[in-house]
Amino acid sequence: MRSTKPILVLVHGWGMNARVFDVLAQLLGDDFDVRAFDLPGHGGRNSQPNNSLQSWADDLTEQVPEGSTVLGWSLGGQVVMRAALDHPGKLSRLILLASTPRFVADESWSHGVSATDLEDFGASLLADPQATLLRFLSLQTRGVPDQKSLLQRLRQHFLALPQARAEALSGGLTILRETDLRQQLTRLTQPTLVLHGALDALTPAAAGRWLAETLPNARYVELARAAHAPHLSHSADVAAAIAGFAHD
């Protein structure tokens, strides 16, 4: 029997997989037909010939039922924004979780990481992919109460499915380094919920506030004690915000 629940698609971030949404999917399962999505080259999926933001956004659009609410976490949020810009009639509502229009800071954008740090990260990734990815997980939990427990859960999700393919990881780093959606986002008119942790060290909360102020139809929720993975550290709060937004 076909479900009559509204469809909620969940899109993970760089280097991760759909299992990172297990808890959130369980909390929202009564209200939504929840579908966690693996990006190309992640979670056992094959990579694409061109692992670019555009190709990943097109891949998402092909698989998302029309009228879905789509959540994107971190880099997944950039994929969702690109898909919504290019196919405005396909995605009905957007949820941007710990995401940003631009990851790298420069003279015009202070709400990101330095280009040097990202390049160092890329070099480390080539030398030792698994150790680098595990270090990336620790950055996502920095400053959060009970960091050790949260980091352990993130590692369990990370190891639950095959590690992302090297070409997908490299493509994802290129997306993080080069993507800048700031000039295009006034065209993104879908109702949007921007969810951010105040302690986020990778995509600072100021980036989330900028998104909410710039998008034509957005609301902002900031979680005071969350960092870059609010769906794990504050699952119930995130689920409540999503339910309230989607049913408004």
Side-chain angles (χ1 to χ4, degrees):
M1 184 175 177
R2 192 171 184 176
S3 174
T4 58
K5 298 176 184 177
I7 295 171
L8 174 64
V9 178
L10 309 176
V11 185
H12 63 79
W14 179 81
M16 291 300 299
N17 58 61
R19 293 294 303 277
V20 77
F21 292 120
D22 282 359
V23 174
L24 192 61
Q26 184 175 12
L27 289 172
L28 292 168
D30 288 341
D31 294 323
F32 298 93
D33 176 359
V34 182
R35 306 182 185 185
F37 175 85
D38 278 309
L39 290 170
H42 294 70
R45 285 192 67 193
N46 289 330
S47 298
Q48 295 184 328
N50 176 23
N51 288 288
S52 66
L53 181 66
Q54 187 70 63
S55 67
W56 288 5
D58 290 343
D59 173 72
L60 173 66
T61 305
E62 289 173 4
Q63 300 186 60
V64 171
E66 189 166 347
S68 298
T69 295
V70 185
L71 177 151
W73 171 44
S74 193
L75 179 146
Q78 293 191 334
V79 176
V80 168
M81 285 186 273
R82 183 74 265 163
L85 286 164
D86 294 340
H87 308 276
K90 192 74 182 284
L91 284 59
S92 65
R93 286 175 176 246
L94 312 179
I95 302 167
L96 303 177
L97 177 64
S99 195
T100 177
R102 179 179 172 85
F103 274 93
V104 177
D106 63 9
E107 63 279 357
S108 69
W109 180 252
S110 60
H111 315 314
V113 300
S114 74
T116 301
D117 286 347
L118 193 63
E119 290 302 322
D120 290 346
F121 201 81
S124 298
L125 182 72
L126 292 174
D128 192 340
Q130 183 156 336
T132 303
L133 286 166
L134 290 173
R135 181 163 62 89
F136 181 61
L137 300 186
S138 70
L139 290 174
Q140 297 182 35
T141 61
R142 181 179 292 171
V144 176
D146 198 19
Q147 180 189 16
K148 185 176 180 180
S149 173
L150 178 58
L151 181 56
Q152 184 177 17
R153 277 181 281 155
L154 258 178
R155 284 175 171 167
Q156 288 172 346
H157 294 306
F158 168 68
L159 296 170
L161 294 175
Q163 183 175 307
R165 295 176 182 270
E167 59 271 22
L169 291 173
S170 178
L173 274 177
T174 299
I175 293 170
L176 295 178
R177 182 175 61 249
E178 296 180 356
T179 296
D180 186 351
L181 297 171
R182 287 177 293 170
Q183 299 303 315
Q184 303 174 56
L185 291 185
T186 54
R187 296 195 286 111
L188 204 160
T189 59
Q190 292 93 333
T192 302
L193 173 64
V194 180
L195 272 167
H196 229 93
L199 305 178
D200 196 329
L202 288 171
T203 56
R209 289 192 288 270
W210 186 95
L211 278 172
E213 292 166 1
T214 302
L215 294 168
N217 191 8
R219 69 177 69 171
Y220 181 67
V221 174
E222 185 172 303
L223 300 171
R225 305 191 73 187
H228 193 63
H231 52 301
L232 291 176
S233 64
H234 295 73
S235 306
D237 293 329
V238 170
I242 291 171
F245 166 72
H247 294 308
D248 189 4

